[in-house]
Amino acid sequence: MPRPRLTGLGAGLLSTAAMVVAGAVAWLLPVGAQTVVFGVLFLPVCALTGLWVRPADLAMGPVVVPLAYAVGVLPVAEGGGAGFTGQVMGLVTTLALNAGWLYGGTLVAGVIVTVRKVRLMSAARRKARSAQRRPAAEQAAPRTAHEAGPSGRRAPRSRVAP
């Protein structure tokens, strides 16, 4: 599986593009199945967004997926009328009726991002502890074989008189 590292903006663009494609696919289906298929397709997009966002932008994972859902659901929005106001009302109605998919996908992204952050923090803590536990002599070990004597310790420097 590829391991791309997306910025917050990149994760938002990728998830939005994927949800627009999912909305177009769902639009081709019968009216009763559109929102269910769209919601099912939303869950893997959320998981991939949580997995592929880079460590510096982990907080953006759960933020961008609801925005991608709102943009992608436009083709399958229910109950709207003609004009801009009707489209907005259809979008609001669809978001309200399908809040379970929206919250579930956001929860998936949030859990994945949280687990990744906890693992990064514990790895950093282990690394800091191991650096503190090393003895001072080991930390000041010679870097080249030339500086080390036959026993592996640093050879004493001889002083040459002028």
Side-chain angles (χ1 to χ4, degrees):
M1 189 165 137
R3 300 289 298 168
R5 292 293 172 221
L6 301 172
T7 63
L9 178 62
L13 291 174
L14 178 69
S15 60
T16 301
M19 292 316 298
V20 167
V21 170
V25 168
W27 180 72
L28 298 172
L29 299 173
V31 175
Q34 289 177 344
T35 54
V36 173
V37 169
F38 185 78
V40 168
L41 293 174
F42 179 60
L43 297 177
V45 169
C46 292
L48 290 177
T49 301
L51 288 171
W52 287 351
V53 69
R54 68 182 184 160
D57 294 329
L58 281 175
M60 293 302 293
V63 172
V64 298
V65 290
L67 300 172
Y69 185 92
V71 171
V73 82
L74 285 172
V76 295
E78 301 173 2
F84 179 73
T85 307
Q87 290 293 331
V88 170
M89 290 307 298
L91 176 65
V92 170
T93 302
T94 302
L95 290 174
L97 292 175
N98 298 300
W101 290 110
L102 182 60
Y103 292 151
T106 305
L107 181 66
V108 166
V111 167
I112 290 172
V113 164
T114 302
V115 168
R116 284 185 60 201
K117 183 64 175 180
V118 167
R119 290 182 68 195
L120 285 170
M121 290 170 44
S122 65
R125 188 175 298 132
R126 277 193 309 267
K127 186 176 179 181
R129 284 183 186 162
S130 68
Q132 289 176 349
R133 289 181 183 165
R134 283 191 294 175
E138 185 179 314
Q139 290 177 358
R143 295 186 181 176
T144 63
H146 177 68
E147 293 178 4
S151 65
R153 294 184 181 172
R154 186 176 290 186
R157 295 186 183 212
S158 60
R159 295 186 184 182
V160 179

